[in-house]
Structures are given as structure tokens and as C-alpha cells.
Amino acid sequence: MKQKMKKLLILGIGNLVLKDEGIGIHIINRLEKAQLPPWVDLLDGGTGGIFLIDTIQQYEHLILIDATLDNLPVGTVRLLKPKYSCDYPLLLSAHEIGLKEMIEAMIIQEKIPEIDLVAISVEEINEIGMQLSPKIEKEIPKIINNIYQLIERIKFEDDHLSWKNETRQHVP
């Protein structure tokens, strides 16, 4: 019997001890205190990379939150829809290789969820610390708002598909 896929995983990637590089985990920590739909799961992925494949493949949709070194102003938040690992911006070195390998492995297996990437532009990390820079900290409400919008879009798309399927069943 085929197991039904879970709806949505929000995955924060990063390293908490490298300041802004840990933004994905900081967002997950904030979302854990929020009211989310029951079909949404949260995961602090740390720097797990390829070790997260089995977990990720249990979901239809993935919202991935990560810091990026992309030469954009610090605090720039972009919502991307990457299809292949080469579509991802330069992620931080602490987990860049593992994440790209993870995406490629899922593509090869032809078992990859739909992915939305929330990429937050940061500066190169030159010091250790668990606190976010003021520029990144002030973007957290915007990032969380973008995530809520993605959740609603995913819900709407699925509701719309269910409606279409019901309509097709009644058409002679």
C-alpha cells in the first residue's frame, strides 16, 4: 500500500554559531511559537544536507529557508523556485555541498518535492556568535510574512486542484 505523502515541510538550514548563517534555524525557532495549519511541519535541518533526503522525500512541498552569499544588499529576501541544484544561489560554505548534493540525489531518484526557497542575503561570516546582525534581525517579520503567504498559496493550489478533480468527476 502506497503511503500518503505529508503536505508541507518548512526546513531551516544553517549553523547557529555562525551568526547570520543560522537565519534558517532562527526562523524555524520563531515559527515553532506560531499558529500553523496541522498539515505544516517544521524542521531545524542544521547543516544536515544529504542526511535530510529521507525526511524531505516524505513531503509534497518544501519551503527551504537559507542564507546566501549573492552580492545583494544584506537583508535582501528573495523567494525562488529552483528546479535543479544549479538554480540555487551561492549558499554558505558550511553546508553548500551537502545541500546541492541532496537536491541532485532527489532529482536522480525522481522523488523530489516541489521546492520554494526563501534566500536571505548575508555577509561573509568572520566571527562566531549566536545572535543575528541587526540588518538580518529586522527582516525576520518580512521573512515570516513571506512564509505565511507561501503556505496560503500552497493551500489554495491544493484546494483548487481538489475542486477541479471533484468537478471532473461530475462531468459526463
Side-chain angles (χ1 to χ4, degrees):
M1 178 199 289
K2 187 175 178 181
Q3 181 181 354
K4 179 151 173 48
M5 305 260 316
K6 297 177 184 176
K7 180 60 78 201
L8 172 64
L9 176 65
I10 302 175
L11 174 65
I13 299 289
N15 188 331
L16 273 179
V17 299
L18 293 177
K19 296 190 133 208
D20 292 348
E21 207 274 345
I23 184 62
I25 296 165
H26 283 279
I27 296 297
I28 293 298
N29 291 340
R30 305 274 173 104
L31 288 171
E32 285 175 341
K33 299 170 187 152
Q35 189 79 356
L36 295 172
W39 47 271
V40 176
D41 291 335
L42 301 172
L43 180 62
D44 168 350
T47 58
I50 204 153
F51 299 107
L52 298 170
I53 289 176
D54 288 338
T55 301
I56 291 170
Q57 288 179 325
Q58 296 175 30
Y59 291 86
E60 296 173 18
H61 298 269
L62 173 67
I63 296 176
L64 180 63
I65 308 160
D66 202 1
T68 181
L69 291 172
D70 52 15
N71 297 320
L72 294 172
V74 173
T76 299
V77 178
R78 294 185 297 151
L79 301 174
L80 306 171
K81 195 86 169 149
K83 186 169 174 127
Y84 303 104
S85 65
C86 61
D87 296 334
Y88 286 77
L90 179 62
L91 303 171
L92 294 179
S93 59
H95 57 271
E96 176 185 358
I97 293 171
L99 183 61
K100 289 189 179 210
E101 288 174 345
M102 175 183 71
I103 300 300
E104 288 296 331
M106 289 189 296
I107 290 169
I108 289 168
Q109 294 174 344
E110 295 182 355
K111 189 175 177 189
I112 186 167
E114 183 175 334
I115 300 175
D116 289 289
L117 172 64
V118 179
I120 301 101
S121 302
V122 299
E123 291 179 315
E124 186 85 42
I125 286 61
N126 295 322
E127 58 186 273
I128 293 176
M130 293 185 69
Q131 69 284 357
L132 295 171
S133 68
K135 287 181 182 177
I136 298 299
E137 183 70 43
K138 86 172 189 167
E139 295 302 321
I140 288 181
K142 177 181 177 183
I143 296 165
I144 290 176
N145 185 51
N146 286 336
I147 291 168
Y148 282 131
Q149 289 176 14
L150 283 170
I151 291 170
E152 284 302 309
R153 188 199 78 211
I154 290 165
K155 180 184 183 305
F156 174 78
E157 287 172 356
D158 289 342
D159 286 349
H160 184 67
L161 289 175
S162 296
W163 178 80
K164 278 177 142 179
N165 289 338
E166 289 173 16
T167 303
R168 283 188 194 143
Q169 291 173 0
H170 299 292
V171 175

